[in-house]
Amino acid sequence: MEKTENEKKESPVSDVGAWAMNVISSVGIIMANKQLMSSSGFGFGFATTLTGFHFAFTALVGMVSNATGLSASKHVPLWELLWFSIVANVSIAAMNFSLMLNSVGFYQISKLSMIPVVCVLEWILHSKHYCREVKAAVMVVVIGVGICTVTDVKVNAKGFICACTAVFSTSLQQISIGSLQKKYSVGSFELLSKTAPIQAVSLLIFGPFVDYLLSGKFITTYKMTYGAIFCILLSCALAVFCNISQYLCIGRFSATSFQVLGHMKTVCVLTLGWLLFDSEMTFKNIAGMALAVVGMVIYSWAVDLEKQRNAKLTPHGKHSMTEEEIQLLKEGVEHINLKDVELGETTKV
C-alpha cells in the first residue's frame, strides 16, 4: 500500500529524529563513560560489566513497555535470539580485547575496516550491490576519519586475531538487526526488548571475568561512590536511547549507512573532546574531520541518487506484497463465489 500524504511528510522527520537520537545519545554516553572510567574521573575500569548494566536497564524498560501495552510482542524463534546475542556479545568482548592488545592507531584502522566488511557481507548474504557514487563516498569518509584518528600503528598476532573477530562479529550483528526485523516483521524496540534480557544475563555472568582478564581486577574490589553511581545510572539511561536508535536506524536504512553515521559520531566526539577536555586539535585533525564531513554529505547524495535510479527501474510500483496484503487477498478469495470465477464474472460484495 502506498503511503498517505501525511505519512510522506512525517517520515523524513522521524528518520532525522532516529539519526539525531543515535548521535546525541552515543556522544553523550561516550562523554559519561569517559568521566566514569578515566583515571582522572572515577576509575571504573569494567567496560564489559558496564555493558551488562546497559542491557539490564534496557531490558527493564522493555518489560515495563510490554506490561503497560505501549509495545507489542511478536514471536521470534529462541534459537535466532540466542544466535544473535552470542554474536553481539562476542563483538563486545572482542572490541575490548582489541583495544587492550593493539595500539590505538591499529584499533581505529580495524573500526574503519567495518564499512567494507559490512558491504561484502551484505553482498554475500543479501546480494546487495552499491553504485559507484556510494563506494566513492564511503572511501572519502574512511580516508577522512583515518587522517584525524589514526596515529601510531603497531600490530601483534593476538591483537590482529581479536581485531578481525571484532570487525566480523560487529558487522554480522549489525546486518542481523535489519534482517531479523524484516524476516519476522518486528519493530526495532520489539526486537531489542527480546535480545536485551539474554545479553544482560550473559554479560553480567561472564563480564566480570572478561574485565578481570583486561584489567587484572574484579568489580567486587571497586569502591563505589555517589558520583560513580550517578555516572553509571546516566550511562545506562543514555544506553537505552542509544540501543533503541541503533535498531531504528539499521531497520530503516542499512548497516552500511549506520557505519557512516558512526564516523559522524567520531567527528563529534573529537570536537567535544577539544571543547570540553582540552584535547589537542591539530591541522591534521581538522583536515581529516572536514574531509569526513564532505564524504558524509556525498554519501547522503549518492544514496538518494541510487534510490531514484531504482525507482525508475520499477515505474509501476512495488512487485512484492506485505503479509497484510497477502492476508487481505486470501480473505477476498474466500468470499468469491467459485461459479462466478469459472464464468469469468465479478460479484460485488
Side-chain angles (χ1 to χ4, degrees):
M1 288 189 280
E2 292 184 3
K3 287 185 177 181
T4 63
E5 198 63 28
N6 288 335
E7 289 174 326
K8 285 180 181 177
K9 288 179 182 177
E10 288 173 6
S11 61
V13 177
S14 60
D15 290 348
V16 171
W19 286 122
M21 187 197 300
N22 189 261
V23 171
I24 293 169
S25 60
S26 297
V27 173
I29 202 172
I30 289 169
M31 294 294 120
N33 288 352
K34 186 169 184 177
Q35 180 63 29
L36 175 65
M37 303 179 76
S38 65
S39 55
S40 59
F42 296 103
F44 185 86
F46 309 97
T48 313
T49 306
L50 179 63
T51 308
F53 292 156
H54 290 169
F55 280 108
F57 207 80
T58 304
L60 181 62
V61 171
M63 288 169 64
V64 171
S65 179
N66 287 333
T68 55
L70 293 174
S71 61
S73 181
K74 292 185 180 179
H75 175 70
V76 178
L78 181 60
W79 73 268
E80 292 262 36
L81 297 175
L82 289 171
W83 160 249
F84 173 84
S85 298
I86 289 169
V87 172
N89 288 350
V90 167
S91 164
I92 294 165
M95 274 292 183
N96 289 337
F97 276 112
S98 176
L99 183 57
M100 181 188 74
L101 296 171
N102 295 309
S103 65
V104 175
F106 186 74
Y107 176 75
Q108 289 295 340
I109 288 176
S110 67
K111 286 182 70 176
L112 291 173
S113 70
M114 282 184 197
I115 290 186
V117 171
V118 165
C119 292
V120 170
L121 285 177
E122 285 193 320
W123 171 63
I124 293 171
L125 298 174
H126 304 301
S127 301
K128 188 169 183 176
H129 297 274
Y130 296 91
C131 65
R132 285 177 299 175
E133 291 83 0
V134 169
K135 293 175 184 176
V138 166
M139 286 302 298
V140 173
V141 172
V142 169
I143 292 169
V145 176
I147 289 171
C148 63
T149 59
V150 176
T151 52
D152 60 315
V153 180
K154 296 176 183 176
V155 187
N156 59 76
K158 289 181 181 178
F160 182 77
I161 292 170
C162 286
C164 290
T165 304
V167 169
F168 180 78
S169 56
T170 303
S171 302
L172 186 60
Q173 179 237 355
Q174 291 180 357
I175 292 171
S176 298
I177 290 173
S179 59
L180 284 174
Q181 287 185 51
K182 291 172 185 174
K183 185 176 180 180
Y184 296 104
S185 301
V186 294
S188 54
F189 187 71
E190 294 167 4
L191 180 60
L192 178 61
S193 63
K194 288 180 178 295
T195 57
I198 302 171
Q199 286 189 255
V201 171
S202 54
L203 285 172
L204 290 175
I205 291 172
F206 298 108
F209 297 100
V210 174
D211 288 331
Y212 178 75
L213 292 173
L214 291 168
S215 65
K217 297 177 183 177
F218 271 113
I219 191 171
T220 51
T221 62
Y222 181 77
K223 293 181 180 179
M224 284 287 181
T225 62
Y226 288 114
I229 292 170
F230 173 77
C231 280
I232 289 171
L233 291 175
L234 177 61
S235 181
C236 288
L238 289 167
V240 174
F241 292 101
C242 187
N243 287 329
I244 291 172
S245 58
Q246 178 187 8
Y247 280 55
L248 267 173
C249 291
I250 295 176
R252 292 185 182 195
F253 307 103
S254 69
T256 304
S257 295
F258 185 75
Q259 281 294 326
V260 172
L261 174 71
H263 295 310
M264 181 65 197
K265 291 181 282 189
T266 301
V267 172
C268 291
V269 168
L270 288 171
T271 305
L272 285 174
W274 172 59
L275 293 172
L276 301 177
F277 298 100
D278 296 324
S279 299
E280 185 182 1
M281 182 66 73
T282 64
F283 174 76
K284 177 172 167 281
N285 296 135
I286 296 170
M289 288 191 291
L291 185 60
V293 170
V294 169
M296 290 167 201
V297 173
I298 297 172
Y299 179 82
S300 178
W301 165 78
V303 169
D304 286 337
L305 183 66
E306 192 172 35
K307 285 180 181 177
Q308 290 172 11
R309 286 174 179 170
N310 291 337
K312 288 179 182 178
L313 292 173
T314 55
H316 301 296
K318 62 181 183 180
H319 298 288
S320 59
M321 293 193 293
T322 63
E323 290 182 10
E324 182 184 0
E325 290 170 333
I326 293 170
Q327 185 62 33
L328 287 171
L329 182 61
K330 287 179 179 178
E331 290 174 1
V333 170
E334 288 171 1
H335 288 88
I336 295 175
N337 191 307
L338 287 177
K339 278 189 176 180
D340 295 334
V341 173
E342 289 171 357
L343 293 171
E345 298 174 358
T346 57
T347 307
K348 292 183 180 179
V349 180

